[in-house]
Amino acid sequence: ERILAALRSGREGALVADAGTPGISDPGFRLVRAARAEGIPVVPIPGPSAAVTALSVSGLPTDRFLFVGFLPPKAAARRRALEELAPVRETLVFYESPVRVREAMEDMETALGDREAFLCREATKLHEEYRRGRISELRELLASRGQVKGEVVLVVAGASETLPMTTETPEALF
């Protein structure tokens, strides 16, 4: 309310986040929504997005992707969410807590299969890390370490595009 009052009085402000683009998978959207509801102009200034940063260097298809964001923290809800995502063919982009990343990857492997994946940790920061492999390989890599630190983005290949079986000749399909 204090920020909205300052904006109403003609002052200008900037919404800045300490991790990625403000308003993307963070509570900044509430301020944007409230300002827009009052007719206060909101102008974006392009900046880094951990999801797009990770996707752009993953080597996985980027023409169509689904930004999932954070999975539910509780195991049962997380598994249900992943089961719903299993048939999605687009590349999947997840944010995950360093505290839950190993468990989330175990659930991913169970629900999605051992797909190609890309781990992006601490993008553009001093201890940045980029690793590509199967979900199981990346999970084992993290399991071999002590505590996982920093923000984590997981990019996971979409479901296989298996063509349906047909008895028609190839010429009949065109």
Side-chain angles (χ1 to χ4, degrees):
E1 187 53 43
R2 189 178 50 126
I3 295 169
L4 287 172
L7 295 172
R8 277 187 220 108
S9 72
R11 294 189 62 193
E12 293 184 359
L15 175 59
V16 180
D18 63 356
T21 302
I24 303 299
S25 210
D26 84 6
F29 82 90
R30 292 184 186 111
L31 177 59
V32 171
R33 180 175 49 197
R36 288 207 174 277
E38 294 194 27
I40 298 169
V42 178
V43 179
I45 299 172
S49 165
V52 174
T53 298
L55 182 64
S56 72
V57 296
S58 70
L60 291 168
T62 60
D63 55 334
R64 292 177 55 104
F65 66 93
L66 174 63
F67 174 68
V68 179
F70 286 96
L71 289 166
K74 299 208 185 239
R78 184 174 54 240
R79 290 181 192 122
R80 278 193 303 276
L82 287 165
E83 287 168 5
E84 289 176 13
L85 293 168
V88 173
R89 290 189 173 174
E90 290 80 11
T91 300
L92 303 170
V93 182
F94 300 92
Y95 285 170
E96 193 49 76
S97 156
V99 175
R100 291 189 308 266
V101 67
R102 291 183 200 113
E103 293 82 9
M105 292 178 80
E106 188 174 320
D107 291 339
M108 284 178 190
E109 189 177 349
T110 300
L112 306 177
D114 198 14
R115 298 182 186 183
E116 286 184 73
F118 183 77
L119 169 74
C120 173
R121 193 181 60 76
E122 290 293 275
T124 74
K125 296 178 183 167
L126 180 62
H127 301 290
E128 66 188 351
E129 178 179 24
Y130 306 98
R131 301 288 179 130
R132 184 163 177 181
R134 298 236 163 245
I135 293 172
S136 62
E137 295 166 338
L138 297 174
R139 183 177 48 76
E140 288 171 17
L141 171 76
L142 294 179
S144 71
R145 300 177 179 174
Q147 179 183 7
V148 176
K149 295 181 180 177
E151 51 186 51
V152 177
V153 181
L154 293 166
V155 182
V156 178
S160 297
E161 293 190 19
T162 306
L163 297 174
M165 296 294 287
T166 180
T167 56
E168 298 179 32
T169 61
E171 296 82 25
L173 296 176
F174 296 100

